[in-house]
Amino acid sequence: MSYKEFYSDYQKGNLGNCLFLHGAEDFLIDWAVESIVDKNLDDESKELDYQELNGETCAVSDIISSARAYSMFSEKRVVVVRNYIPLYKKQGEEAELNAILELAESDNDSCILIFAVDADKSANINAYGKKLMKACTTYEFTALDKGELQGFISKRVREAGNMMGRREMDYLIDLSGYYNRGSAYHLKDLHNDLLRINTACNGEQISISLIEELMVGEDDRYVFNLIDSMMSDDKRTTMSLLTSIVCDDESAMKSIGLITKQFEIMFDALDLESQGLSIAQMAKATGVNEYRFKKAYQSARKFSRSQMKDKLMSLYNIDRDVKSGNITAEDGIKLFAMNV
């Protein structure tokens, strides 16, 4: 069952006494646990009636005794077992593992027992883990769909007393790369970025420039500006940018790497465009952040595929010559920048 189903069951009081929470979104798993705790325990009773066990170190006896203990002040205790090892690694005696299954299937009305598996382990849930999932009421917290994500953003912006237009929200989502294939950007990252954006907002309206300022890394901003100046043949700006960042061979090599990576994306953009794909489809196919892909695509359109291939080969040759000692990294990057 999904996030929506969890929330519906939570609102109706139909969650049950043994839950299994897993999926790609740690933020939602933590939110679900916090919601259950807050609904069943007040601040005074949390110290005695809430217990969290480290599933990587706790024994089966710890889980069973915690789940069967009676509450002190609340109607039910809440016990959370985080990342119980046998769920994703072959470990534990069969009798003990079966005891956990029996516990999950029992009518234990004194406790809400929650097995929570973090995102980095959810993909490895094994056969035993799947048995426990069947014995529990199970919810999988996957990535939010577009409407849910927009609601997630809107809520946090409103709570901070700010406003964000649809154009700015779409830009934020594209820039985050939340929907990119294999993206490592999740709700916890978005939550943290929204905290920074809301705090930095001068006035109530969040602007695209503020989003870009806070979410585009320094390295990306530098390479975008440098390539823009190269594409417009603005040699003065190009040299100024290079001078500001290239102070030794190490920083020059870093710049060569950044530029090479962006030119590789530019080459891919031209190649995929010839297949009739949209920008969103091209970004998804390459696994590149859509904002970064758009920047690369806009620059790449000034070249033919053969020209772009030549530029990329030139960068590869510079990298080779620097590493073989035939040229300094600083001279190599300046030579390339002046001849794009």
Side-chain angles (χ1 to χ4, degrees):
M1 290 188 283
S2 67
Y3 152 75
K4 284 183 178 178
E5 290 167 311
F6 169 86
Y7 189 65
S8 175
D9 289 345
Y10 168 79
Q11 293 283 72
K12 296 174 183 176
N14 293 334
L15 289 178
N17 292 327
C18 191
L19 309 179
F20 192 112
L21 311 179
H22 69 110
E25 284 293 0
D26 287 332
F27 186 93
L28 293 179
I29 294 172
D30 291 341
W31 163 80
V33 170
E34 289 170 11
S35 298
I36 293 167
V37 171
D38 290 341
K39 188 170 185 176
N40 290 275
L41 309 176
D42 58 32
D43 290 339
E44 292 183 359
S45 63
K46 281 180 185 177
E47 284 195 27
L48 292 173
D49 289 336
Y50 173 70
Q51 188 173 5
E52 183 163 320
L53 301 174
N54 183 344
E56 297 181 347
T57 57
C58 71
V60 169
S61 58
D62 296 327
I63 299 174
I64 294 175
S65 61
S66 296
R68 288 180 174 166
Y70 286 98
S71 62
M72 297 297 291
F73 298 108
S74 309
E75 183 178 342
K76 293 183 180 181
R77 284 167 47 78
V78 178
V79 177
V80 179
V81 184
R82 293 270 182 182
N83 299 318
Y84 185 43
I85 282 187
L87 301 178
Y88 53 91
K89 288 184 181 179
K90 192 172 183 180
Q91 185 171 316
E93 297 295 328
E94 185 176 355
E96 291 184 329
L97 297 180
N98 287 336
I100 294 295
L101 291 174
E102 291 172 6
L103 175 66
E105 293 170 342
S106 66
D107 295 326
N108 184 7
D109 58 1
S110 65
C111 170
I112 298 174
L113 176 61
I114 304 171
F115 292 92
V117 182
D118 290 345
D120 62 345
K121 299 173 178 63
S122 287
N124 299 320
I125 291 174
N126 56 28
Y128 174 73
K130 291 174 182 176
K131 284 183 181 180
L132 186 59
M133 289 168 68
K134 289 182 179 179
C136 301
T137 304
T138 298
Y139 299 94
E140 182 178 9
F141 295 94
T142 58
L144 297 183
D145 64 30
K146 190 73 175 286
E148 292 167 342
L149 190 64
Q150 289 171 339
F152 181 92
I153 295 168
S154 293
K155 179 182 178 183
R156 282 149 185 80
V157 170
R158 284 197 311 271
E159 288 175 345
N162 295 323
M163 294 183 292
M164 181 184 292
R166 179 55 60 87
R167 179 167 168 263
E168 287 75 17
M169 186 178 295
D170 288 343
Y171 180 77
L172 169 61
I173 293 171
D174 285 347
L175 184 56
S176 74
Y178 183 77
Y179 290 115
N180 286 4
R181 183 183 61 187
S183 174
Y185 189 95
H186 298 290
L187 286 180
K188 62 183 177 181
D189 305 298
L190 179 57
H191 174 75
N192 291 333
D193 280 336
L194 286 170
L195 282 176
R196 295 190 300 124
I197 290 168
N198 281 319
T199 301
C201 182
N202 185 15
E204 296 180 347
Q205 188 68 44
I206 294 173
S207 65
I208 281 180
S209 60
L210 176 62
I211 294 169
E212 183 171 321
E213 179 183 349
L214 295 178
M215 289 187 64
V216 178
E218 288 298 321
D219 286 346
D220 280 343
R221 189 177 296 114
Y222 164 70
V223 78
F224 293 156
N225 291 337
L226 181 60
I227 290 177
D228 283 346
S229 68
M230 290 181 192
M231 297 301 103
S232 59
D233 200 28
D234 185 351
K235 298 191 185 303
R236 177 177 292 183
T237 300
T238 298
M239 287 307 298
S240 175
L241 287 167
L242 285 172
T243 302
S244 70
I245 197 72
V246 177
C247 55
D248 53 34
D249 261 11
E250 183 177 350
S251 61
M253 277 303 294
K254 180 180 179 181
S255 294
I256 291 172
L258 291 170
I259 293 170
T260 300
K261 185 174 181 180
Q262 192 68 2
F263 267 78
E264 287 173 339
I265 298 172
M266 290 162 68
F267 181 79
D268 288 341
L270 292 180
D271 190 46
L272 291 168
E273 182 188 39
S274 67
Q275 300 176 31
L277 300 181
S278 67
I279 290 178
Q281 289 171 326
M282 289 189 281
K284 185 176 181 180
T286 58
V288 174
N289 178 287
E290 189 166 330
Y291 171 79
R292 182 168 193 161
F293 195 91
K294 283 179 181 176
K295 296 287 289 186
Y297 176 71
Q298 290 163 359
S299 298
R301 293 184 69 191
K302 299 179 181 179
F303 297 98
S304 67
R305 290 172 68 191
S306 62
Q307 288 174 323
M308 183 57 64
K309 183 177 180 181
D310 289 343
K311 301 300 179 186
L312 196 52
M313 290 305 300
S314 177
L315 282 165
Y316 291 152
N317 289 336
I318 289 171
D319 180 77
R320 180 201 60 203
D321 290 342
V322 169
K323 289 176 179 175
S324 62
N326 295 330
I327 190 174
T328 66
E330 184 175 353
D331 287 343
I333 191 173
K334 288 180 178 178
L335 179 67
F336 176 80
M338 292 297 101
N339 289 281
V340 170

